[in-house]
């Protein structure tokens, strides 16, 4: 398999880190063989471990990893289409013309990250034995970080390719075997869940009350979010709920503590039902946009659980948002655009996705026939809340000085909606004329409360009105509740790399692609019958293995959905 993480890459990477700390580097390297520098002389103190842990985060923030998070998790959904200057690989994915030559079928950037994590897990215990200042607790925390990042990488890989090689040993010597069979989706999912369960209590709870590291590094709550998500995919809905509750309770506790210390620390956060969320228009303000500005503009907000940090950097750019959504200093559409039906006729009240009061549609998108994506691109927005029927508000955008929007992996409303989905599934099926049992009603009402809080924040609804969600409109059947949660996840997490994965999870749970097809097919105007047939099989939910990986690893067997494709390289 073409991991691109072979022993030479690992050695050279470690040497580069080690050499940067030496004053007489040339002489040293001339005396000691390369392999001895890496294995015997680099891994000697806590700082060496910290450097490689930091490199794991740096790899996640690389353009190759970031762009795949978005393309794999959203490009094939009903949210996205191509924009201006999209490369052929993106165009072909958008057209569902996926081939094994497509560059986005390559996975080496994620396996590079996995190998860095494996290297930390392998060598950190040896360092702890050598460095008396490197404590057992610090060792365990570093291993928890590396394990969580590795698990996150595998989670992206299995949701994209289904079956992938599962490797937990670093590539450090000539005996490494690069011919590794693919493990099945369920097997890898079980492994990474077990790995996270084993280290969750070793992770740092918080890095300090107001530290950005609480959002930009793996904490115990980031691991809880990963576990909640993974259990949702595994179908263990009660465990998903349990981990969601740990995060929600933590945010409630954090809100109460900050409010008690000083209301100025949390002046824009309000309770929507029982959930503390950043308001779109704080009390006394006639302008909306606060939640968008704090969450996607400034970054590292109260609602954040784990996000990749660019805001504080003057040299690193978020290449995902720069290329896909558009540069900070341009209002032009990027390589990707929103599907036009998402924001059509919102102001006159006839859009099926967004009510005219929903702030998210004005914040996240701009334009009509070609709709540019503004989420993450702008530093902030502002518009009057008294939107009237038939006319959209004038949105003022505040630009950044660079392409440095953070990329969010998990945030509070995502967790709330995961809990809602799990509650609906645990409640079971209703709608055959029978009435709800007390347990079913309780679970549906819990799910509804999560959705309602997210929806009310977005629509500036602090109290119930005739224009808000009503439980009785949805709480009579599993299908109605399921659609309510799925639709709210689409609105809330749009363009965040979640939608296609949500649809794949739906297909896996139902054993059918029908509901996914009904949503996705509306963005196609040509060859719809052929596309519907092509996307109707379970295999079609996943990417093909790239041809380079097939050549390098004889154990890999191509996804049957792509076995008989005509491979062409014509642009």
């Amino acid at each position: 398999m073409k991991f691109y993480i072979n022993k030479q890459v690992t050695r050279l990477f470690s040497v580069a880190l080690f050499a940067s700390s030496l004053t007489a580097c040339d002489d040293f390297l001339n005396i000691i063989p390369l392999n001895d520098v890496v294995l015997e002389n680099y891994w000697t103190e806590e700082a060496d471990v910290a450097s490689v842990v930091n490199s794991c985060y740096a790899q996640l923030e690389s353009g190759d990893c970031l762009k795949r998070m978005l393309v794999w998790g959203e490009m094939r959904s009903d949210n996205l289409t191509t924009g201006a200057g999209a490369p052929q690989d993106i165009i072909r994915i958008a057209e569902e013309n996926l081939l094994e030559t497509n560059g986005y079928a390559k996975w080496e950037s994620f396996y590079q990250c996995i190998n860095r994590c494996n290297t930390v897990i392998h060598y950190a215990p040896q360092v702890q034995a050598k460095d008396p200042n490197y404590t057992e607790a610090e060792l365990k925390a570093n291993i928890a970080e590396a394990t969580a990042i590795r698990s996150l990488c595998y989670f992206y890989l299995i949701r994209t390719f289904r079956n992938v090689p599962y490797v937990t040993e670093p590539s450090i010597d000539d005996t490494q075997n690069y011919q590794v069979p693919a493990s099945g989706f369920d097997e890898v999912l079980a492994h990474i869940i077990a790995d996270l369960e084993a280290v969750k209590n070793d992770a740092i709870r918080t890095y300090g009350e107001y530290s950005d590291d609480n959002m930009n590094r793996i904490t115990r709550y980031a691991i809880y979010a990963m576990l909640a998500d993974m259990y949702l995919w595994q179908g263990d809905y009660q465990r998903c709920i349990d981990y969601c509750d740990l995060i929600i309770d933590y945010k409630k506790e954090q809100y109460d503590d900050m409010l008690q210390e000083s209301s100025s620390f949390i002046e824009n956060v309000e309770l929507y039902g029982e959930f503390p969320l950043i308001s779109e228009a704080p009390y006394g303000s006639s302008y909306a946009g606060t939640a968008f500005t704090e969450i996607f503009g400034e970054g590292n907000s109260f609602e954040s659980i784990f996000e990749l940090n660019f805001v504080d950097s003057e040299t690193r750019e978020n290449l995902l948002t720069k290329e896909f959504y558009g540069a900070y200093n341009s209002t032009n559409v990027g390589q990707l655009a929103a599907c036009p039906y998402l924001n059509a006729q919102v102001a006159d009240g006839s859009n099926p996705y967004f009510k005219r009061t929903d702030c998210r549609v004005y914040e996240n998108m701009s334009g009509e026939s070609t709709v540019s994506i503004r989420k993450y691109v702008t530093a902030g927005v502002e518009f009057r809340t008294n939107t009237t029927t038939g006319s959209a508000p004038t949105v003022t955008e505040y630009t950044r000085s660079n392409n440095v929007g953070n990329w969010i992996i998990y945030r509070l409303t995502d967790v709330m909606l995961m809990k809602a989905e799990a509650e609906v599934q645990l409640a079971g099926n209703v709608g055959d004329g029978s009435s709800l049992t007390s347990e079913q009603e309780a679970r549906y009402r819990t799910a509804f409360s999560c959705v309602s809080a997210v929806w009310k924040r977005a629509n500036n609804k602090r109290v119930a009105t005739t224009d808000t969600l009503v439980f009785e409109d949805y709480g009579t059947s599993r299908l109605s509740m399921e659609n309510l949660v799925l639709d709210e996840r689409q609105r809330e997490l749009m363009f965040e790399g979640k939608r296609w994965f949500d649809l794949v999870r739906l297909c896996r749970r139902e054993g059918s692609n029908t509901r996914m097809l009904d949503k996705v097919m509306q963005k196609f105007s040509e060859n719809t019958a052929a596309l519907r047939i092509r996307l109707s099989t379970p295999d079609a939910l996943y990417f093909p293995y790239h041809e380079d990986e097939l050549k390098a690893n004889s154990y890999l067997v191509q996804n049957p959905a792509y076995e008989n494709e005509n491979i062409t390289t014509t642009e």
Side-chain angles (χ1 to χ4, degrees):
M1 179 173 52
K2 193 175 182 181
F3 279 123
Y4 283 83
I5 54 170
N6 61 36
K7 54 188 175 296
Q8 294 301 327
V9 171
T10 303
R11 291 173 182 170
L12 291 173
F13 171 72
S14 297
V15 168
L17 289 173
F18 179 68
S20 66
S21 66
L22 297 175
T23 57
C25 176
D26 290 342
D27 290 342
F28 185 88
L29 294 178
N30 286 336
I31 296 172
I32 300 181
L34 177 62
N35 194 53
D36 291 339
V37 170
V38 177
L39 301 184
E40 303 299 331
N41 298 89
Y42 178 72
W43 296 95
T44 59
E45 59 184 6
E46 179 182 1
D48 300 333
V49 179
S51 293
V52 186
V53 170
N54 289 338
S55 81
C56 298
Y57 289 104
Q59 180 64 17
L60 280 184
E61 294 168 0
S62 68
D64 281 348
C65 277
L66 275 177
K67 287 190 280 189
R68 279 164 175 77
M69 290 179 190
L70 187 280
V71 169
W72 293 349
E74 190 119 13
M75 186 70 238
R76 301 176 69 189
S77 77
D78 48 345
N79 284 347
L80 290 178
T81 186
T82 53
Q88 284 299 310
D89 281 345
I90 291 294
I91 292 172
R92 287 172 177 149
I93 295 171
E95 294 174 344
E96 286 297 339
N97 184 24
L98 259 172
L99 305 175
E100 62 182 22
T101 54
N102 194 295
Y104 284 95
K106 291 186 175 183
W107 56 28
E108 65 264 27
S109 58
F110 275 80
Y111 275 106
Q112 284 174 342
C113 191
I114 287 167
N115 194 61
R116 294 183 187 190
C117 296
N118 287 341
T119 304
V120 171
I121 295 167
H122 179 85
Y123 282 112
Q126 300 177 30
V127 175
Q128 200 268 332
K130 297 175 184 177
D131 185 351
N133 296 316
Y134 188 28
T135 67
E136 183 75 15
E138 290 168 333
L139 166 67
K140 288 182 176 180
N142 285 150
I143 290 177
E145 276 187 280
T147 301
I149 294 171
R150 182 181 72 184
S151 298
L152 183 64
C153 288
Y154 277 122
F155 195 34
Y156 273 104
L157 287 166
I158 60 173
R159 288 179 294 175
T160 304
F161 297 96
R162 185 170 51 190
N163 305 328
V164 301
Y166 182 67
V167 181
T168 58
E169 295 296 324
S171 51
I172 54 177
D173 58 41
D174 295 332
T175 64
Q176 183 74 27
N177 178 20
Y178 299 105
Q179 299 280 316
V180 182
S183 297
F185 181 102
D186 293 333
E187 181 183 352
V188 176
L189 182 60
H191 276 307
I192 59 180
I193 287 174
D195 287 345
L196 290 177
E197 289 283 8
V199 301
K200 65 184 181 183
N201 295 328
D202 296 331
I204 298 293
R205 187 175 186 270
T206 65
Y207 287 93
E209 193 170 4
Y210 302 112
S211 173
D212 285 348
D213 282 347
N214 292 328
M215 289 73 78
N216 303 150
R217 293 183 65 176
I218 296 295
T219 64
R220 196 170 299 179
Y221 297 101
I223 292 178
Y224 293 165
M226 292 180 203
L227 282 167
D229 202 355
M230 292 170 187
Y231 279 126
L232 189 60
W233 280 79
Q234 195 179 56
D236 192 336
Y237 299 118
Q238 187 56 57
R239 282 197 173 97
C240 171
I241 292 167
D242 292 343
Y243 280 110
C244 289
D245 283 341
L246 287 172
I247 296 167
I248 292 168
D249 289 345
Y250 164 64
K251 286 298 181 181
K252 291 177 184 176
E253 175 188 328
Q254 187 180 22
Y255 171 78
D256 290 339
D257 289 347
M258 295 175 77
L259 193 62
Q260 186 173 5
E261 185 174 348
S262 174
S263 59
S264 63
F265 285 133
I266 203 159
E267 59 185 354
N268 294 327
V269 178
E270 300 175 19
L271 290 176
Y272 292 82
E274 61 179 303
F275 304 101
L277 299 173
I278 303 167
S279 55
E280 279 289 0
Y283 278 112
S285 174
S286 59
Y287 287 90
T290 301
F292 177 91
T293 299
E294 292 196 13
I295 295 169
F296 303 106
E298 297 171 6
N300 299 328
S301 73
F302 168 80
E303 295 182 27
S304 177
I305 299 167
F306 180 48
E307 59 190 75
L308 301 177
N309 185 51
F310 295 90
V311 167
D312 297 328
S313 173
E314 296 180 357
T315 56
R316 292 181 301 110
E317 292 185 304
N318 184 330
L319 295 179
L320 184 163
T321 58
K322 177 184 178 181
E323 296 178 17
F324 284 165
Y325 295 166
Y328 74 95
N329 56 356
S330 172
T331 58
N332 295 331
V333 67
Q335 293 177 2
L336 302 182
C339 292
Y341 49 72
L342 293 174
N343 74 334
Q345 299 176 304
V346 173
D348 66 14
S350 58
N351 185 285
Y353 299 91
F354 295 95
K355 286 186 174 290
R356 63 181 179 83
T357 55
D358 199 316
C359 295
R360 294 170 295 195
V361 69
Y362 307 117
E363 297 163 339
N364 297 344
M365 294 172 276
S366 176
E368 297 179 1
S369 59
T370 301
V371 184
S372 65
I373 298 167
R374 311 312 295 161
K375 184 179 273 191
Y376 293 111
V377 175
T378 56
V381 298
E382 188 176 68
F383 53 95
R384 287 194 175 275
T385 59
N386 57 341
T387 304
T388 57
T389 301
S391 62
T394 299
V395 179
T396 300
E397 290 189 355
Y398 299 98
T399 60
R400 301 183 187 275
S401 59
N402 209 334
N403 301 296
V404 290
N406 284 2
W407 183 252
I408 299 171
I409 307 293
Y410 290 109
R411 56 191 180 96
L412 179 57
T413 51
D414 185 3
V415 172
M416 291 164 58
L417 295 172
M418 281 192 244
K419 177 179 178 178
E421 183 175 332
E423 291 282 8
V424 171
Q425 296 309 312
L426 272 184
N429 200 15
V430 186
D432 57 358
S434 60
S435 59
L436 292 171
T437 67
S438 59
E439 181 183 353
Q440 285 174 325
E441 181 172 358
R443 290 199 179 279
Y444 280 177
R445 286 193 179 277
T446 298
F448 183 82
S449 69
C450 294
V451 175
S452 180
V454 177
W455 189 91
K456 283 182 179 179
R457 185 267 292 278
N459 287 270
N460 285 308
K461 302 292 182 184
R462 291 184 171 85
V463 296
T465 71
T466 57
D467 196 26
T468 194
L469 296 179
V470 179
F471 174 75
E472 286 70 23
D473 292 341
Y474 302 94
T476 58
S477 74
R478 180 194 58 79
L479 185 60
S480 294
M481 289 297 298
E482 202 170 68
N483 281 333
L484 174 68
V485 176
L486 188 63
D487 291 347
E488 192 60 25
R489 280 188 65 84
Q490 181 180 23
R491 286 187 287 264
E492 177 68 10
L493 304 171
M494 193 168 282
F495 317 132
E496 296 183 43
K498 304 278 185 175
R499 178 62 172 174
W500 178 251
F501 287 154
D502 283 353
L503 294 175
V504 172
R505 186 170 65 253
L506 174 68
C507 294
R508 287 177 61 89
R509 184 166 61 226
E510 295 194 334
S512 168
N513 293 9
T514 301
R515 288 172 65 189
M516 175 275 290
L517 284 167
D518 291 341
K519 295 177 182 300
V520 171
M521 288 306 301
Q522 62 187 318
K523 75 177 183 179
F524 297 105
S525 58
E526 299 178 353
N527 303 319
T528 54
L531 283 169
R532 181 174 283 273
I533 293 172
R534 186 175 190 174
L535 292 173
S536 63
T537 67
D539 296 329
L541 297 172
Y542 305 96
F543 266 61
Y545 296 134
H546 194 271
E547 62 177 1
D548 290 350
E549 309 296 351
L550 292 168
K551 292 174 183 176
N553 185 358
S554 60
Y555 285 110
L556 292 180
V557 178
Q558 184 61 279
N559 181 336
Y562 307 97
E563 283 179 342
N564 300 317
E565 295 292 350
N566 255 341
I567 306 303
T568 63
T569 57
T570 304
E571 296 297 328

